[in-house]
Amino acid sequence: ASLFNAIELNATHYDVPDAEKANKWYAAAQREGFMFCPKLHKSISHLGNVDTHKFGQTKQFIDSVSHFKEKLGTSFLQLPEKTGIGDKEKILAYLQLLPQAFALSVEFRNPDWFANENRLDAFVKEFHLLNKGLVITDTPGRRDAVHMKLSNTTAFVRFVCRGDHELDMFRIDQWQKQLKSWFWQGLERCYFFLHIHNAEFEDDFIAYVKEGVGKC
């Protein structure tokens, strides 16, 4: 919280916090406006299919993270690469059970989701009706996952880089332009999370991002 105004909370993917732990984290994040973005537990996303049978587990997860109160941001559901377009109807049925007020973005990894532009656009519309978002994963090895589709007024971006390459700087510059355009068109919030592989350059790259994207 001393460096950023939000956290991609991977800890909840492995252990759903009880009320005591969640309240402790809440109290520790003193920064005004700080937001927790919890990752749904692996029992929901990675053990078996994501379908309506996972609603009970998801309700327990929602009850747990509700202890973050006004500091609860958008949660995210990271689907494994095995989850393909053939699972679409199961996923939509599952999402329909969730409260519309529960802010959630979903990260797809299987290339089939992005292979057909018209099919992807139709999928984005279905997400819009459910008020659920799509994670944009900007990583050099998977340019198809940088789909640049928004299904609601929140952007959830996971930016993967080395931190010391000129292309990393170029990509950040492009994001600065894109976010300014989206905010002008009605985007209300953006969660922009950095995954920097070279720890030696973390501080410098974080400063560069704050100077660029951080001022959008």
Side-chain angles (χ1 to χ4, degrees):
S2 64
L3 291 174
F4 302 104
N5 55 11
I7 181 173
E8 183 184 295
L9 193 57
N10 283 289
T12 53
H13 184 65
Y14 302 100
D15 181 27
V16 179
D18 57 20
E20 182 181 358
K21 181 179 288 187
N23 287 327
K24 182 178 179 180
W25 288 348
Y26 173 88
Q30 292 295 318
R31 180 172 182 158
E32 183 178 355
F34 185 84
M35 305 296 282
F36 291 93
C37 293
K39 185 177 181 180
L40 267 66
H41 192 261
K42 61 183 180 180
S43 64
I44 301 170
S45 59
H46 285 69
L47 300 181
N49 295 323
V50 175
D51 55 26
T52 54
H53 294 92
K54 296 294 181 73
F55 176 69
Q57 293 161 284
T58 308
K59 185 178 184 302
Q60 291 176 356
F61 181 89
I62 294 174
D63 290 343
S64 174
V65 300
S66 68
H67 292 287
F68 294 137
K69 293 173 274 194
E70 81 283 357
K71 295 178 183 178
L72 177 60
T74 295
S75 299
F76 77 107
L77 171 63
Q78 185 182 72
L79 297 175
E81 193 159 344
K82 67 178 182 179
T83 304
I85 194 70
D87 298 300
K88 184 186 80 167
E89 296 305 323
K90 293 179 182 178
I91 293 170
L92 289 174
Y94 161 79
L95 294 176
Q96 286 170 357
L97 294 178
L98 304 185
Q100 277 217 347
F102 176 58
L104 178 72
S105 287
V106 182
E107 180 180 31
F108 294 97
R109 293 192 164 193
N110 189 303
D112 287 349
W113 294 100
F114 316 111
N116 184 299
E117 188 78 12
N118 291 332
R119 186 174 63 192
L120 179 58
D121 286 340
F123 195 54
V124 170
K125 291 179 181 178
E126 292 179 283
F127 262 54
H128 173 71
L129 293 175
L130 297 169
N131 192 31
K132 297 297 181 276
L134 292 169
V135 173
I136 300 172
T137 308
D138 187 347
T139 179
R142 283 290 307 276
R143 301 315 292 165
D144 57 337
V146 199
H147 52 77
M148 306 306 285
K149 306 291 185 181
L150 296 177
S151 53
N152 58 14
T153 56
T154 296
F156 197 111
V157 183
R158 306 182 74 231
F159 186 92
V160 183
C161 66
R162 281 173 41 181
D164 62 337
H165 197 284
E166 61 182 13
L167 282 178
D168 298 338
M169 315 300 184
F170 174 78
R171 288 159 59 208
I172 288 297
D173 293 344
Q174 296 302 112
W175 270 112
Q176 182 183 24
K177 297 174 184 177
Q178 182 64 68
L179 290 175
K180 284 182 177 179
S181 174
W182 279 346
F183 278 118
W184 182 81
Q185 295 176 66
L187 184 70
E188 295 179 0
R189 172 166 288 178
C190 175
Y191 296 99
F192 197 95
F193 294 110
L194 300 176
H195 295 261
I196 305 169
H197 289 168
N198 195 330
E200 180 183 354
F201 298 95
E202 278 186 354
D203 291 343
D204 288 342
F205 192 75
I206 289 170
Y208 188 83
V209 173
K210 285 184 175 180
E211 183 65 24
V213 173
K215 294 185 176 181
C216 291

